[in-house]
Amino acid sequence: MKLSDLLPDFVFLPSQPFLMGTPERELGALAKTYGGTRESYREESPQHRLRLPPFAIAGTPVTNALYAIYVADAGARPPLIWRGATPPDHLRDCPVTDVSWEDAQHFCRWLSNLMATPYRLPTEAEWEYAARGSDGRRFPWGDEWDPTRANTRDGGPGTVTPVGAYPSGISPWGCLDMAGNVWEWTASLDAPYPYRFDDGREDPNAPGRRILRGGSFANPRGFARCACRFRLAPTVRNEFLGFRLAFSMTL
């Protein structure tokens, strides 16, 4: 199969205001609903309004099938979960996992050179905008939890599923798999809110932990909220970590 056949469809997001984060007044309620303490959710506050430049984001994460072409062409390290140089057939259409932030960056550079499109990881703000739209909803489909709309510990099969397997979990902009299945690396450094793109958090060469979004099949529903933030060192790899692509749009 050709590389172009394995590229995800992209969603084009306009520049319009959206709500990022969680209001401080809701932190206590989150703790009661999902566990932990009020302070466990402090990193999501304050909620603030942003307006981003227009951009495009992949409707689904990068699959094992697409990543396999990169591994073969670039001589990159194959994910250990493959147990070989190519993914097993049952994983080909699933999100690639066992990839670090650094692995994802190398993949983006490789693909950009081949396709003459400046692919990159989405910023944390772009990811949240794509997941929740402009109305500040809690999950991609709305404010109420529905276990049939996402691959999480609350009703999922207990393993990764093919991309797009939960079509009713689609976001307002048309993105799939933004709640559950696999955590997704973003470009952004772990830094407090309010989000600012010009404060150094989007410096790809800066040291520090990088933000992941979306939750995974092994996590309960609270981690699948659009505003939930998680962070890891950029060298970490495990079976729960994947990524999706984005690119900037010039006016």
Side-chain angles (χ1 to χ4, degrees):
M1 188 174 287
K2 296 187 299 183
L3 173 62
S4 57
D5 294 332
L6 295 172
L7 287 176
D9 293 330
F10 281 81
V11 176
F12 299 90
L13 277 74
S15 177
Q16 72 178 45
F18 78 102
L19 291 171
M20 184 173 187
T22 299
E24 186 171 0
R25 66 180 181 277
E26 295 182 7
L27 300 185
L30 289 179
K32 290 180 181 178
T33 302
Y34 303 112
T37 68
R38 179 186 177 89
E39 293 305 307
S40 304
Y41 303 89
R42 177 69 60 184
E43 65 199 5
E44 300 176 17
S45 288
Q47 188 175 74
H48 50 293
R49 191 174 295 275
L50 284 180
R51 188 181 189 118
L52 302 172
F55 66 98
I57 190 168
T60 53
V62 170
T63 63
N64 284 292
L66 175 55
Y67 201 79
I69 296 180
Y70 161 65
V71 168
D73 185 64
R77 166 196 175 276
L80 293 178
I81 197 170
W82 292 2
R83 301 185 184 278
T86 58
D89 287 344
H90 73 280
L91 290 179
R92 285 185 58 81
D93 295 329
C94 295
V96 64
T97 59
D98 189 37
V99 290
S100 68
W101 183 87
E102 293 178 348
D103 293 333
Q105 293 287 80
H106 290 309
F107 175 91
C108 289
R109 286 193 287 270
W110 168 83
L111 187 62
S112 297
N113 289 334
L114 282 181
M115 304 302 293
T117 298
Y119 293 111
R120 57 176 175 78
L121 293 176
T123 67
E124 179 180 15
E126 289 171 339
W127 194 100
E128 186 165 331
Y129 179 36
R132 76 192 308 186
S134 58
D135 58 5
R137 60 185 58 192
R138 185 163 293 172
F139 301 100
W141 55 86
D143 287 332
E144 299 301 319
W145 171 248
D146 184 342
T148 69
R149 295 177 184 262
N151 179 11
T152 68
R153 200 169 73 191
D154 305 273
T159 188
V160 68
T161 47
V163 298
Y166 289 79
S168 63
I170 196 167
S171 81
W173 294 113
C175 293
L176 295 162
D177 294 326
M178 302 200 89
N181 213 12
V182 299
W183 285 103
E184 298 179 18
W185 289 107
T186 73
S188 307
L189 282 167
D190 179 20
Y193 281 175
Y195 176 91
R196 286 186 55 184
F197 70 90
D198 60 352
D199 63 0
R201 74 180 71 205
E202 299 303 341
D203 181 353
N205 299 312
R209 299 180 299 178
R210 298 286 167 167
I211 293 291
L212 299 105
R213 292 302 200 100
S216 79
F217 65 86
N219 297 116
R221 68 193 190 282
F223 291 95
R225 294 177 301 107
C226 297
C228 180
R229 309 174 75 198
F230 192 56
R231 80 275 312 130
L232 287 171
T235 55
V236 172
R237 302 181 179 107
N238 63 47
E239 63 183 301
F240 312 112
L241 311 182
F243 67 100
R244 75 176 65 214
L245 301 168
F247 61 87
S248 301
M249 297 176 62
T250 55
L251 297 176

